[in-house]
Amino acid sequence: AQKVTQAQTEISVVEKEDVTLDCVYETRDTTYYLFWYKQPPSGELVFLIRRNSFDEQNEISGRYSWNFQKSTSSFNFTITASQVVDSAVYFCALSETGGGNKLTFGTGTQLKVEL
Amino acid sequence: KAGVTQTPRYLIKTRGQQVTLSCSPISGHRSVSWYQQTPGQGLQFLFEYFSETQRNKGNFPGRFSGRQFSNSRSEMNVSTLELGDSALYLCASSEKTVGSNLEQFFGPGTRLTVL
């Protein structure tokens, strides 16, 4: 069965600090997809990134970067020079090609960025 | 393009009643999925519809049902409401290509409170 673990329940940082959110997944499929979503206080889940299991290239988008390592089944997310607007709950999710579009979410990491 | 819309945004019901929630996907998206979010259980997959057919279903009792119309709009219904059904219900839509799970875009959710 598929499973996503986000061991960090809550992280607090001071603005401009770098922060890494951890995500570890379990799946028996050889083809799968990993996602990160952001949920600000407004409640709407905002899509950040999608990565398929055959693409282990790290990705950078502005202050955001993702490190995908199949050897450790991890898909970690780093925010560089954090800002107050980054405060939100961040979810890592997994979907398997045999499961349609079903997303299995981790429990989320609450990130608080303070001045 | 307009985003995913959900109606109503807030709903208060009493135990034993039934409720219908509505979701309009992004134009051109044919896959619609529903998720339940609670503080205790987190984000859990309810079901997915594609071309008016249920493709996948999560581990929820039969009181939870859904359907999709020819214009891709979807509704979910919960009958005989229980206190534990109080949650944020999120709808997500995506384009669908064979063999590839694309990113899902979420609506703002319907906050259901059961008294």
Side-chain angles (χ1 to χ4, degrees), chain A residues 62-76:
Chain A
R63 296 184 296 106
Y64 295 171
S65 62
W66 290 269
N67 179 256
F68 176 30
Q69 292 195 337
K70 285 180 75 171
S71 60
T72 56
S73 297
S74 65
F75 187 42
N76 297 337

Side-chain angles (χ1 to χ4, degrees), chain B residues 30-50:
Chain B
R30 296 170 63 191
S31 170
V32 174
S33 299
W34 290 87
Y35 294 84
Q36 181 196 65
Q37 185 176 25
T38 60
Q41 299 299 316
L43 278 157
Q44 293 186 288
F45 171 78
L46 280 157
F47 25 65
E48 179 199 1
Y49 287 88
F50 179 73

Side-chain angles (χ1 to χ4, degrees), chain B residues 49-69:
Chain B
Y49 287 88
F50 179 73
S51 292
E52 302 177 66
T53 301
Q54 187 180 88
R55 282 167 36 95
N56 208 346
K57 187 172 175 11
N59 295 323
F60 280 83
R63 302 184 296 107
F64 291 81
S65 62
R67 59 178 175 168
Q68 185 181 36
F69 303 95

Side-chain angles (χ1 to χ4, degrees), chain A residues 70-89:
Chain A
K70 285 180 75 171
S71 60
T72 56
S73 297
S74 65
F75 187 42
N76 297 337
F77 173 32
T78 297
I79 302 175
T80 302
S82 60
Q83 299 176 2
V84 172
V85 293
D86 295 327
S87 297
V89 181

Side-chain angles (χ1 to χ4, degrees), chain A residues 37-48 87-91 105, chain B residues 2-6 9-10 26 37 43 88-92 104-111:
Chain A
Y37 284 87
K38 172 182 180 179
Q39 189 175 41
S42 62
E44 189 164 339
L45 280 167
V46 177
F47 166 76
L48 294 177
S87 297
V89 181
Y90 290 86
F91 291 95
F105 284 90
Chain B
V4 178
T5 58
Q6 292 186 246
R9 293 292 311 279
Y10 301 91
I26 292 171
Q37 185 176 25
L43 278 157
L88 180 65
Y89 290 89
L90 292 162
C91 169
Q104 296 180 46
F105 296 92
F106 284 79
T110 294
R111 173 75 62 185

